[in-house]
Amino acid sequence: MSQPKQMPMVRWYDPLQLIRTGIDVAASTLFGRHSDFRLLEALAASGIRVDEDYANVAADESLWIDYVADVGDGWNSTYAIACALAQPALMLKDDQGNSHETRRGSILVFGGDEVYPVASRTEYRQRLVGPYEAALGTTVAPHPSVYAVPGNHDWYDSLVSFTRLFCSGRWFAGWQTKQTRSYFAVKLPRGWWLIGTDVQLNSDLDQRQVEYFESVAGAMGPDDRVILCDAEPHWIYARAYGQIDSDYNENNLAFLEKTLGGKVAVFLAGDLHHYRRHEDRQGRQKITAGGGGAFLHPTHGPDVSTLANGFQLKKSFPDLKTSRSLAWRNLFFPFLNGSFGAVTGVLYTLTAWSVMVDLTGYGLGQFREALRIAFKAALGSPVAAFWVVAVFLAFWLFTDTHSPRYRFVAGTVHGLAHLLAVFLIGWGATRLAVALGFPFGDTFQLLLSGAFILLAGWVVGSFIAGIYLLVSINVFGRHSEEAFSSLAIEDWKNFLRMKIDTQGNLTVYPVGIRRVPRKWKTRDDGVGPEMVSADSRATGPELIESPVLIRK
């Protein structure tokens, strides 16, 4: 048997990757807004289907459910989680030192963003299906089932690959797919329901989906409870950005909760690649658990210790102190994202050449005068002035766009830092070339200066970008996505294991892996996952906190 391809983590700051992803995102956003695949999906599906296969388990048996989100990235992180999910049983210790025996779920739920960077048959195969087949290729009856909530990355090919994989009755590794649409409802034993939504790219529910869930609500009993799986933690975004951006709200959740008669006891979501649990006085839970394989997101910014309706933060993984410490790795941005320097290097070179002023007669002691002359030359050149304005616009567009005020101030400071670096590097490059005997304006002087600016801009520009991201996340709580995608941290993974016991109580076991293996070897005995860890520094699955009990 050939070994599966071990894919690296997606490098989000690779220029070619950014271009390819940007094109796919733009296309999917355009067509997704004007041609909603969910309508065709609903018309093709017959009737309102609710899966009742798990509604009547034996009276003396518990039902186990696994939940994982934001998977399908690098091999190490994705396969480490897949291996933990594949085990028939896991003995886990909590933060108090107590041991808890858990079993593999009869149901596996993917909570959104099943593949990165964009959905396609190849990416699903290499980054998701391959690792899970290697972890659990086959099972024996009764076979476990799998359901999937689509995230925005799954929508980047208009849900074509997602539907083929999860909505066609096929096998997904050792799990049997059951759903016929991109959203689902499963009737569980003892008055519990499992519901998954599809909010597409615009974070909304289409009318067919609304009608579907209204029908599901009509089939519920007065004391039934719901586990609601959504692709995005709207409760986090509403708290962090709701006051400055009206597009961030909990309208969908409020609507669903009203539609379901206020029966939602547990809200689950991914999209943010960490574990964070909030609880209200009634014991309802809002859990973000997006640690299935994608790069780690910070837990320390922005501040979401208190949410609407009295939900309080109870646990984060990693904790806030660790998260803040990890952000300092952005000081090594040029080494972590080497190819990104090509962008800053080229921009620095073009910016310096657009001004073309002779400052070789000025030394460092005449810095202010040299800067004044360069600034005057830039204003006097339409090409230079246009280019400088374009550079500032680029930095304003890049800056955290939730707050216009922050975008203007931070974008301006960031842009000025790069322009000052261009000035100093260009000045130094020109003096160096002239000192080597090439007159100012000579072809060889321009080429030599340009090469020096390109190389220096490659390093310095990346370094400034790293400092900007570090300050943004650790001081202002902004740019959490950009500040940690640059790090591509494959550790601190997580998933949820849930049990509905014989009394009808639901227990949530949050499972974490602090350090995933970097090395793997083929299993010798041929029983279990194809590959096992060969990394002595890797840590095994453990409980992030004590099990969370939600009583019937």
Side-chain angles (χ1 to χ4, degrees), residues 462-543:
S462 295
F463 186 65
I464 291 174
I467 293 176
Y468 169 77
L469 294 175
L470 172 61
V471 173
S472 294
I473 185 62
N474 273 12
V475 178
F476 300 103
R478 301 285 180 177
H479 280 297
S480 60
E481 181 92 14
E482 294 80 6
F484 270 63
S485 62
S486 67
L487 306 178
I489 297 173
E490 53 190 351
D491 297 318
W492 303 95
K493 301 294 95 143
N494 67 77
F495 66 93
L496 303 179
R497 181 152 284 179
M498 297 176 281
K499 178 181 71 172
I500 299 175
D501 63 25
T502 57
Q503 303 301 313
N505 299 320
L506 176 71
T507 304
V508 180
Y509 299 84
V511 185
I513 300 178
R514 294 176 183 269
R515 189 183 192 280
V516 302
R518 270 57 166 178
K519 299 178 182 178
W520 303 88
K521 62 181 180 181
T522 304
R523 176 179 287 277
D524 296 329
D525 56 16
V527 178
E530 295 178 15
M531 309 286 290
V532 294
S533 173
D535 186 348
S536 60
R537 298 178 60 194
T539 60
E542 60 183 283
L543 286 179

Side-chain angles (χ1 to χ4, degrees), residues 130-194:
Y132 275 79
E133 283 186 343
L136 186 66
T138 59
T139 52
V140 297
H143 302 287
S145 302
V146 61
Y147 295 84
V149 172
N152 60 302
H153 288 268
D154 301 292
W155 265 97
Y156 288 157
D157 71 342
S158 297
L159 223 61
V160 173
S161 301
F162 176 94
T163 303
R164 182 189 301 117
L165 185 59
F166 293 110
C167 304
S168 303
R170 303 181 181 185
W171 284 92
F172 173 85
W175 290 267
Q176 175 71 61
T177 62
K178 292 287 191 71
Q179 67 197 87
T180 57
R181 312 183 192 208
S182 55
Y183 45 93
F184 57 84
V186 184
K187 188 176 183 181
L188 304 175
R190 300 162 196 127
W192 283 95
W193 291 75
L194 177 68

Side-chain angles (χ1 to χ4, degrees), residues 25-311:
V25 171
S28 65
T29 302
L30 175 63
F31 289 105
R33 287 176 176 173
H34 299 285
S35 180
D36 196 333
F37 181 81
R38 295 174 297 184
L39 174 59
L40 301 177
E41 182 183 56
L43 292 174
S46 57
I48 302 297
R49 183 183 184 279
V50 174
D51 188 348
E52 299 190 17
D53 292 350
Y54 296 95
N56 298 302
V57 300
D60 60 344
E61 290 186 4
S62 299
L63 178 71
W64 290 84
I65 305 166
D66 289 332
Y67 174 93
V68 63
D70 299 280
V71 295
D73 197 331
W75 164 270
N76 292 334
S77 52
T78 302
Y79 184 65
I81 290 294
C83 283
L85 290 166
Q87 300 303 313
L90 283 177
M91 184 66 73
L92 303 168
K93 284 190 175 182
D94 61 25
D95 50 2
Q96 304 298 318
N98 301 314
S99 296
H100 303 266
E101 184 177 1
T102 66
R103 287 190 286 168
R104 183 174 65 216
S106 298
I107 300 173
L108 170 62
V109 179
F110 285 116
D113 286 344
E114 275 73 70
V115 71
Y116 294 89
V118 293
S120 71
R121 184 194 292 260
T122 300
E123 295 291 1
Y124 271 114
R125 179 68 217 173
Q126 294 181 343
R127 294 186 179 274
L128 178 65
V129 178
Y132 275 79
E133 283 186 343
L136 186 66
T138 59
T139 52
V140 297
H143 302 287
S145 302
V146 61
Y147 295 84
V149 172
N152 60 302
H153 288 268
D154 301 292
W155 265 97
Y156 288 157
D157 71 342
S158 297
L159 223 61
V160 173
S161 301
F162 176 94
T163 303
R164 182 189 301 117
L165 185 59
F166 293 110
C167 304
S168 303
R170 303 181 181 185
W171 284 92
F172 173 85
W175 290 267
Q176 175 71 61
T177 62
K178 292 287 191 71
Q179 67 197 87
T180 57
R181 312 183 192 208
S182 55
Y183 45 93
F184 57 84
V186 184
K187 188 176 183 181
L188 304 175
R190 300 162 196 127
W192 283 95
W193 291 75
L194 177 68
I195 289 180
T197 68
D198 177 7
V199 295
Q200 206 230 32
L201 293 167
N202 294 318
S203 298
D204 71 333
L205 300 175
D206 59 301
Q207 183 58 34
R208 295 280 182 171
Q209 194 171 175
V210 170
E211 294 170 359
Y212 176 85
F213 288 124
E214 287 176 342
S215 298
V216 171
M220 294 181 179
D223 297 324
D224 285 1
R225 308 293 294 282
V226 174
I227 304 169
L228 179 62
C229 304
D230 199 62
E232 300 174 354
H234 299 289
W235 52 91
I236 299 293
Y237 298 140
R239 173 65 180 85
Y241 310 120
Q243 293 181 346
I244 54 178
D245 192 334
S246 59
D247 287 338
Y248 289 90
N249 56 63
E250 296 187 74
N251 291 346
N252 268 343
L253 293 180
F255 175 79
L256 275 172
E257 199 167 10
K258 181 179 179 180
T259 300
L260 299 172
K263 302 179 187 298
V264 182
V266 182
F267 298 81
L268 301 180
D271 201 46
L272 293 176
H273 312 159
H274 55 229
Y275 173 83
R276 201 153 40 183
R277 180 176 69 87
H278 291 80
E279 179 180 293
D280 71 359
R281 292 182 178 180
Q282 287 73 45
R284 295 188 303 167
Q285 307 293 324
K286 291 187 174 181
I287 302 176
T288 307
F295 68 87
L296 176 69
H297 268 125
T299 57
H300 69 283
D303 178 22
V304 290
S305 56
T306 302
L307 304 179
N309 301 318
F311 281 85

Side-chain angles (χ1 to χ4, degrees), residues 318-337:
D319 59 69
L320 275 61
K321 181 179 179 181
T322 300
S323 177
R324 184 177 296 276
S325 176
L326 291 171
W328 283 89
R329 296 185 185 183
N330 273 293
L331 292 178
F332 301 97
F333 189 99
F335 307 101
L336 297 173
N337 304 278

Side-chain angles (χ1 to χ4, degrees), residues 428-439 444-446 448-449:
T430 303
R431 286 177 60 86
L432 175 63
V434 171
L436 292 175
F438 300 106
F444 289 103
Q445 180 267 319
L446 293 175
L448 181 60
S449 299

Side-chain angles (χ1 to χ4, degrees), residues 255-476:
F255 175 79
L256 275 172
E257 199 167 10
K258 181 179 179 180
T259 300
L260 299 172
K263 302 179 187 298
V264 182
V266 182
F267 298 81
L268 301 180
D271 201 46
L272 293 176
H273 312 159
H274 55 229
Y275 173 83
R276 201 153 40 183
R277 180 176 69 87
H278 291 80
E279 179 180 293
D280 71 359
R281 292 182 178 180
Q282 287 73 45
R284 295 188 303 167
Q285 307 293 324
K286 291 187 174 181
I287 302 176
T288 307
F295 68 87
L296 176 69
H297 268 125
T299 57
H300 69 283
D303 178 22
V304 290
S305 56
T306 302
L307 304 179
N309 301 318
F311 281 85
Q312 300 292 324
L313 178 64
K314 296 298 181 180
K315 187 69 176 182
S316 295
F317 181 79
D319 59 69
L320 275 61
K321 181 179 179 181
T322 300
S323 177
R324 184 177 296 276
S325 176
L326 291 171
W328 283 89
R329 296 185 185 183
N330 273 293
L331 292 178
F332 301 97
F333 189 99
F335 307 101
L336 297 173
N337 304 278
S339 59
F340 180 78
V343 176
T344 57
V346 170
L347 288 177
Y348 276 35
T349 304
L350 294 176
T351 304
W353 275 356
S354 70
V355 179
M356 288 291 291
V357 59
D358 186 3
L359 298 176
T360 55
Y362 295 87
L364 286 177
Q366 299 168 293
F367 171 82
R368 293 180 61 182
E369 181 63 17
L371 182 61
R372 185 190 66 80
I373 294 174
F375 182 70
K376 182 178 180 180
L379 290 179
S381 169
V383 174
F386 173 81
W387 184 254
V388 170
V389 170
V391 169
F392 266 104
L393 287 175
F395 283 112
W396 285 330
L397 289 174
F398 170 76
T399 304
D400 192 320
T401 57
H402 303 299
S403 169
R405 180 180 178 183
Y406 182 86
R407 182 196 311 176
F408 176 78
V409 175
T412 300
V413 172
H414 191 194
L416 286 175
H418 282 285
L419 287 178
L420 179 59
V422 171
F423 168 72
L424 292 173
I425 292 172
W427 186 12
T430 303
R431 286 177 60 86
L432 175 63
V434 171
L436 292 175
F438 300 106
F440 181 81
D442 181 76
T443 301
F444 289 103
Q445 180 267 319
L446 293 175
L447 291 175
L448 181 60
S449 299
F452 182 84
I453 295 170
L454 178 66
L455 293 175
W458 192 301
V459 176
V460 175
S462 295
F463 186 65
I464 291 174
I467 293 176
Y468 169 77
L469 294 175
L470 172 61
V471 173
S472 294
I473 185 62
N474 273 12
V475 178
F476 300 103

